[in-house]
Amino acid sequence: MAMSAGRRSLPSLDRSARVWVAGHRGLVGSAITRLLRAEGFSNLILRTSQELDLRSQGAVEAFYRAHRPDYIFLAAAKVGGILANRDHPAEFLYDNLAIQNNVIDGALRHGAQKVLFLGSSCIYPKLAPQPILESSLLSGPLEPTNQPYALAKIAGLEMIRAYHRQHGLRGVSLMPTNLYGPGDNFDPATSHALPAMIRRIDEARESGAEQVVMWGTGSPRREFMHADDLARAALLAMEEHEDPEPVNVGMGEDMTIRELAERTAKVVGWQGEFVWDTSKPDGTPRKLLETSRIRALGWQPKIRIEDGIRETWEWWRHSQALAP
């Protein structure tokens, strides 16, 4: 494992330790689970949302008493795109606060060795200087379209800091950029930009449609990172990082939404025309993360956007073929 010069190497996690991946069926949780299995972790604790409602304090308390995990990857969250955030702000605030409160507080009370909390780049101000430093947190107004979700995530990373400062809980917080990959949500009502784009373009290719309507102007700039790259950063941070302050994880380069649409169309093999519905919101004008902290640990992204789009598209096609 690469390390920056002069940095102390911490012991690797015991591969037989009890490791709980909360949210293991989601985009990020499933990527972390795949990586942990590939790395030889033999005692993973996995529960679906039907088996364990993380919003229920009583259910989480009973889970901790029964299983007492040593390490916790907190990847469970209520997530969604602009439309879902606009229509369900109360759930995005309450559900995420409840999940974080129950899991982090339970980790302290039941003796977990370490917790990794996954936040989001939307915690930063809408007009933060680019690329965004971790120190930009709380330095300006948030993007209104996802403010409830962002406030919940800010509370989560502050909880990691507060529990470390007051109680000595070992915790780390990663703030990833926009994510995608196999296992992503392709529901038209709740998906994020890239899976929604892949689905629309794939359906246009299948139907022979010559136009695809996209939200906004296409001008906002975003970076898109494969969930497997984040999983590697998560395991590295769990093994090598002891600072509770937030750590950005991103590609280090961005593109416009219009450029992303064109690249996706090329991968999918559709040659039609995009129509941009400017009555729909664009969101934050630009969101590019400064990632020197995670790179100092020896991490860097490996998956090119075209390769990642192709893998995600093929996964989507396969999942549709298997659907009843």
Side-chain angles (χ1 to χ4, degrees):
M1 186 176 294
M3 299 288 299
S4 58
R7 192 180 186 283
R8 180 175 65 92
S9 178
L10 298 171
S12 294
L13 268 63
D14 179 357
R15 267 42 182 172
S16 65
R18 298 183 299 274
V19 180
W20 177 24
V21 183
H24 75 283
R25 282 191 170 180
L27 172 64
V28 176
S30 61
I32 292 173
T33 301
R34 287 194 301 272
L35 177 62
L36 292 176
R37 284 173 170 158
E39 288 286 325
F41 286 86
S42 59
N43 198 358
L44 299 184
I45 304 171
L46 309 173
R47 294 292 184 275
T48 67
S49 57
Q50 289 74 35
E51 294 168 332
L52 175 60
D53 184 354
L54 296 177
R55 299 169 299 179
S56 167
Q57 186 178 36
V60 174
E61 176 68 14
F63 170 85
Y64 269 114
R65 287 199 303 268
H67 299 285
R68 297 194 175 274
D70 298 309
Y71 298 96
I72 302 161
F73 290 87
L74 180 44
K78 182 175 181 61
V79 298
I82 290 178
L83 181 62
N85 275 270
R86 183 195 68 186
D87 293 345
H88 303 283
E91 289 90 336
F92 276 90
L93 182 62
Y94 177 86
D95 288 2
N96 285 302
L97 285 172
I99 290 168
Q100 297 160 189
N101 290 347
N102 293 334
V103 173
I104 296 172
D105 185 66
L108 173 69
R109 290 186 296 102
H110 291 279
Q113 294 191 39
K114 196 171 183 180
V115 180
L116 183 139
F117 173 72
L118 286 164
S120 168
S121 59
C122 73
I123 65 169
Y124 293 115
K126 177 177 182 177
L127 300 179
Q130 305 290 318
I132 305 173
L133 293 163
E134 289 90 348
S135 58
S136 292
L137 182 64
L138 298 177
S139 63
L142 299 167
E143 161 58 41
T145 58
N146 58 21
Q147 182 168 293
Y149 175 76
L151 287 170
K153 287 297 183 179
I154 291 170
L157 67 89
E158 185 59 34
M159 194 172 184
I160 291 290
R161 293 195 289 200
Y163 271 53
H164 172 80
R165 184 171 62 249
Q166 183 173 343
H167 301 297
L169 178 69
R170 293 172 64 207
V172 291
S173 297
L174 298 187
M175 301 298 116
T177 190
N178 299 285
L179 299 169
Y180 71 96
D184 212 337
N185 173 21
F186 283 77
D187 187 310
T190 58
S191 61
H192 285 103
L194 185 49
M197 188 178 290
I198 291 173
R199 177 170 182 157
R200 290 179 193 174
I201 294 172
D202 181 61
E203 290 175 345
R205 184 186 64 86
E206 285 285 298
S207 67
E210 296 181 355
Q211 291 185 335
V212 169
V213 177
M214 294 291 180
W215 275 32
T217 64
S219 62
R221 300 189 66 88
R222 297 286 186 272
E223 54 181 336
F224 293 88
M225 183 171 66
H226 196 288
D228 286 351
D229 277 333
L230 176 59
R232 290 189 301 102
L235 179 55
L236 178 63
M238 185 68 93
E239 291 194 314
E240 300 287 351
H241 194 58
E242 290 298 310
D243 188 343
E245 293 301 310
V247 177
N248 289 341
V249 187
M251 296 294 289
E253 58 183 28
D254 60 5
M255 68 188 76
T256 67
I257 297 298
R258 187 181 299 270
E259 290 170 335
L260 178 68
E262 292 168 352
R263 292 191 186 193
T264 303
K266 185 175 181 180
V267 169
V268 173
W270 179 74
Q271 297 180 339
E273 175 189 10
F274 291 110
V275 177
W276 297 91
D277 181 357
T278 57
S279 68
K280 298 296 193 297
D282 269 338
T284 302
R286 191 183 188 195
K287 199 162 56 171
L288 176 65
L289 297 182
E290 201 284 329
T291 58
S292 59
R293 287 186 182 179
I294 190 66
R295 290 175 187 267
L297 294 177
W299 175 91
Q300 60 182 1
K302 293 183 177 180
I303 302 173
R304 295 174 58 252
I305 184 67
E306 288 83 3
D307 297 334
I309 290 173
R310 181 171 300 282
E311 181 189 13
T312 305
W313 172 52
E314 290 174 350
W315 176 88
W316 157 249
R317 295 278 297 173
H318 180 69
S319 67
Q320 288 301 102
L322 295 178

